[in-house]
């Protein structure tokens, strides 16, 4: 007889009022396989996984581990059953060190030397290089993701669920992670569920794939028997722009640049210790410039400076030729700079406020009376922006955390563009978004440039830079090491540049 699958979900249904998040979902994951789970933001994948971890209660259906029906009441019991998950949105304690975060929650005494050694051994085994003594609050997004991975892998789970595990990893780090996963799946006979919006990763790394749309399973297939184009079509329920499935979209800005374009953004000698080292860069009106480099080379620090969250030790920021006093709160948006931050949950939105409140929070003067906020004006303004940017929500009064990742990103973009900025900074703009949401986002960023806005895209995804930008600057250890046009960019040269070769 064939062995029982490591994990089987049968007829899982979950409703939130009139919304059916999961509708009679079946999912089977065998030992020794990597199983891809695909779907647009809001398709029901996260709800399904939360049910599996005991964070949500299913309305109907069963969960089986090794052929035995189980009732999971929470993450601790899930871990006891051998089920562990690396979440897309991290849950780390910033003041603690890496090793302290990894062992956090263990019962009994913790011996520092032994714990550090264990964390180091797990990191080496999975190719996740990190300093065990580093404070998590000082780490880049990519480094923080590695810590989250270590927390999960340390438990040695039989069923490992990975939610967008490479969203903040470099291409080389991603390739190494999948090599390790494939090795342990084959040698240790584990089961892995890989949730990813990167279709190339799904087709290269998985054995079978399940696609969800609007809460239902619409496709189950051996990965070798499908294509990226088919998977993209099943995810969104329509044909997708050619190339969108792999992140390479047709270049939109083909017109000739003005003979003497206006200088919209000038960064001169920006220095923040540690983080930025005499960084200088210029972006012109109507231009999309890509800032490209491996994670952890100063991109987060630059985003903090341009968000007003950090004051540089030296250097200046000019918008439309005028220097900005970075010590004055609100000076950057007042000067005409809008930003879509790298971590929208941490710096871009307030999850417990309503969708409407998040849409207008930076421009309260537009919806206020003489003293108080005018709720009718707030709702009219929020409704207009939601309609214009295609934001889907059960209600504008619903908390923002109830929206899918793509809709949360649209909220941030709508809010920033409603201020009619001269400059838009988009940091890792497509991180965690599905192919349909990426297609919409790219079109809007290109539209910004077409309207004369200077756009700076900060990304670790080369395909994203090539799809959006006409010019790219390569950052290494907080400095710009070279600038070059994206047309005909040489892969060998880029590889040298991101490693610091001038």
């Amino acid at each position: 007889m064939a062995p029982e699958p490591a994990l089987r979900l049968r007829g899982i249904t979950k409703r939130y009022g009139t919304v059916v998040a999961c509708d009679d979902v079946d999912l089977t994951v065998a030992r020794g396989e990597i199983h891809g789970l695909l779907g647009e933001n809001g398709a029901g994948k996260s709800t399904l996984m939360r049910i599996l971890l005991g964070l949500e209660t299913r309305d109907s259906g069963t969960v089986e581990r090794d052929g035995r029906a189980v009732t999971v009441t929470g993450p601790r019991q899930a871990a006891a059953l051998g089920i562990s998950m690396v979440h897309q949105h991290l849950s780390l304690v910033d003041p603690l060190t890496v090793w302290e975060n990894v062992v956090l929650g263990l019962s009994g005494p913790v011996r520092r030397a032994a714990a550090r050694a264990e964390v180091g051994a797990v990191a080496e085994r999975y190719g996740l290089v990190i300093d065990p003594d580093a404070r998590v609050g000082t780490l880049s997004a990519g480094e923080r993701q590695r810590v989250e991975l270590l927390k999960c892998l340390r438990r040695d789970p039989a069923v490992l669920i990975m939610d967008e595990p490479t969203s903040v990893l470099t291409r080389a780090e991603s390739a190494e992670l999948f090599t390790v996963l494939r090795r342990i799946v084959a040698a240790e006979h584990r089961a892995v569920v890989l949730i990813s919006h990167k279709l190339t990763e799904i087709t290269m790394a998985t054995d079978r794939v399940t696609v969800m749309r609007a809460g239902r399973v619409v496709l189950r297939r051996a990965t070798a028997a499908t294509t990226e184009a088919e998977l993209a079509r099943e995810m969104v329920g329509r044909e997708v722009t050619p190339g969108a499935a792999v992140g390479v979209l047709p270049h939109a800005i083909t017109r000739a640049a003005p003979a003497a374009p206006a200088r919209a953004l000038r960064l001169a000698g920006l220095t923040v210790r540690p983080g930025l080292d005499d960084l200088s860069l210029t972006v012109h009106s109507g231009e999309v410039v890509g800032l490209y480099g491996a994670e952890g080379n100063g991109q987060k620090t630059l985003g903090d400076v341009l968000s007003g969250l950090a004051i540089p030790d030296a250097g200046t920021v000019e918008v439309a030729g005028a220097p900005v006093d970075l010590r004055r709160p609100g000076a950057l948006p007042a000067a005409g700079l809008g930003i879509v931050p790298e971590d929208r949950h941490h710096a871009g939105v307030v999850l417990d406020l309503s969708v409407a409140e998040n849409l207008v929070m930076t421009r309260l003067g537009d919806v206020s009376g003489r003293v108080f906020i005018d709720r009718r004006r707030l709702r009219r303004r929020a409704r207009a922006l939601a309609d214009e940017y295609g934001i889907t929500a059960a209600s504008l009064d619903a908390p923002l955390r109830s929206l899918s990742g793509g809709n949360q990103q649209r909220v941030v973009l709508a809010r920033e563009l409603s201020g009619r900025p001269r400059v838009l900074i988009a940091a890792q703009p497509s991180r965690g978004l599905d192919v349909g949401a990426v297609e919409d986002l790219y079109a809007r960023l290109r539209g910004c440039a077409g309207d004369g806005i200077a756009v700076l895209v900060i990304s670790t995804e080369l395909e994203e830079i090539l799809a959006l930008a006409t010019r790219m600057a390569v950052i290494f250890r907080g400095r710009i090491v070279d600038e070059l046009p994206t047309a005909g960019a040489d892969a060998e040269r880029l590889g040298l540049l991101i490693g610091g070769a001038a």
Side-chain angles (χ1 to χ4, degrees):
M1 295 179 61
E4 291 285 353
L7 178 68
R8 177 181 284 147
L9 307 180
R10 299 178 189 262
I12 300 295
T13 298
K14 177 64 179 179
R15 295 179 176 84
Y16 299 96
T18 59
V19 177
V20 183
C22 291
D23 187 2
D24 195 29
V25 175
D26 292 344
L27 177 68
T28 301
V29 185
R31 291 181 176 277
E33 78 165 359
I34 301 178
H35 193 114
L37 182 60
L38 279 174
E40 287 188 283
N41 298 114
K45 309 183 303 298
S46 296
T47 300
L48 190 66
M49 294 301 102
R50 287 176 65 84
I51 289 171
L52 179 57
L53 293 173
L55 296 171
E56 297 282 356
T57 304
R58 60 189 181 272
D59 296 328
S60 60
T62 59
V63 176
E64 296 178 7
R65 267 284 288 124
D66 287 335
R68 180 172 61 89
V70 296
T71 300
V72 185
T73 57
R76 189 179 293 273
Q77 185 186 2
L81 290 168
I83 303 171
S84 193
M85 180 173 180
V86 179
H87 295 271
Q88 179 183 357
H89 301 297
L90 311 183
S91 54
L92 304 174
V93 181
D94 286 355
L96 299 184
T97 64
V98 169
W99 75 266
E100 288 169 336
N101 268 276
V102 173
V103 302
L104 192 64
L106 293 181
S107 58
V110 175
R111 292 180 173 83
R112 181 179 186 276
R116 286 184 72 260
E118 183 185 10
V119 171
V122 175
E124 183 177 358
R125 176 184 177 188
Y126 290 99
L128 300 169
V129 179
I130 195 86
D131 178 6
D133 294 316
R135 297 286 174 187
V136 165
T138 67
L139 301 181
S140 68
E143 292 167 328
R144 292 166 67 91
Q145 178 73 307
R146 293 174 211 169
V147 179
E148 194 75 25
L149 283 168
L150 287 174
K151 284 178 60 180
C152 183
L153 294 171
R154 184 196 163 279
R155 302 186 186 105
D156 206 23
V159 178
L160 176 61
I161 303 162
M162 309 193 77
D163 188 4
E164 301 287 348
T166 67
S167 61
V168 291
L169 301 183
T170 65
R171 187 177 299 183
E173 289 170 334
S174 299
E176 175 64 23
L177 175 63
F178 287 131
T179 298
V180 171
L181 280 179
R182 177 56 64 189
R183 184 168 62 246
I184 66 170
V185 163
E188 302 174 13
H189 219 50
R190 302 176 193 268
V192 175
V193 178
L194 174 64
I195 304 172
S196 176
H197 290 118
K198 299 177 182 179
L199 300 184
T200 301
E201 287 185 357
I202 292 293
T203 55
M204 292 180 62
T206 67
D207 302 295
R208 289 191 299 142
V209 60
T210 296
V211 181
M212 294 182 66
R213 186 172 72 241
R216 297 186 64 89
V217 173
V218 295
L219 179 72
R220 294 187 187 88
R221 192 159 296 174
T223 307
T226 188
T227 64
E228 292 169 2
E230 181 185 26
L231 293 174
R233 183 171 61 249
E234 292 296 335
M235 281 175 63
V236 301
R238 58 175 173 80
E239 294 294 335
V240 179
T241 303
V246 291
V248 182
L249 301 181
H251 210 292
I253 307 170
T254 55
R255 64 188 185 285
R263 189 170 65 191
L265 175 68
R266 179 172 179 263
L267 311 177
L270 284 182
T271 299
V272 179
R273 300 180 182 91
L276 300 179
D277 181 14
D278 194 31
L279 183 143
S280 297
L281 182 66
T282 298
V283 186
H284 298 94
S285 298
E287 179 183 32
V288 181
V289 172
L291 182 65
Y292 174 63
E295 189 79 40
N297 277 283
Q299 299 97 319
K300 180 180 183 297
T301 305
L302 178 60
D304 287 344
V305 170
L306 296 177
S307 298
L309 299 175
I311 299 175
D313 301 311
T316 59
V317 175
E318 295 179 8
V319 176
V324 181
D325 183 358
L326 299 176
R327 295 167 298 180
R328 183 166 60 86
L332 285 163
L337 187 144
I339 186 163
V340 179
E342 173 181 334
D343 187 344
R344 59 179 174 264
H345 283 186
H346 189 258
V349 297
V350 180
L351 292 172
D352 290 326
L353 290 183
S354 70
V355 176
E357 288 164 337
N358 274 276
L359 280 166
V360 303
M361 64 168 55
T362 59
R363 300 185 62 82
L364 293 177
D366 293 346
V367 295
S368 298
R370 292 183 177 180
V371 179
F372 300 108
I373 292 175
D374 185 326
R375 303 298 298 184
R376 290 184 180 180
R377 289 170 63 184
L378 184 152
R379 288 187 60 81
R380 283 199 302 269
R381 180 65 174 157
R383 172 48 60 195
L385 289 174
D387 292 343
E388 180 180 355
Y389 286 85
I391 298 166
T392 302
S395 167
L396 292 178
D397 295 322
L400 190 82
R401 68 170 65 253
S402 66
L403 268 60
S404 66
N407 280 300
Q408 290 180 10
Q409 190 77 315
R410 289 188 183 102
V411 167
V412 177
L413 190 62
R415 185 187 65 222
E416 296 304 301
L417 292 181
S418 68
R420 302 178 185 85
R422 293 185 173 97
V423 178
L424 180 70
I425 312 297
Q428 312 293 352
S430 65
R431 180 170 288 170
L433 302 187
D434 63 68
V435 63
V438 169
E439 187 180 34
D440 176 71
L441 173 71
Y442 284 8
R444 292 187 184 279
L445 291 178
R446 294 184 181 120
C448 290
D451 291 337
I453 298 172
V455 180
L456 175 62
V457 176
I458 303 173
S459 180
T460 56
E461 299 286 346
L462 179 58
E463 291 85 356
E464 185 159 74
I465 297 293
L466 297 178
L468 288 169
T470 52
R471 178 166 61 92
M472 64 191 299
V474 180
I475 187 172
F476 176 74
R477 293 184 179 174
R479 296 176 66 96
I480 302 298
V481 294
D482 203 358
E483 297 184 32
L484 61 158
T486 53
D490 180 76
E492 182 177 356
R493 181 183 178 192
L494 286 175
L496 291 171
L497 289 174
I498 64 172

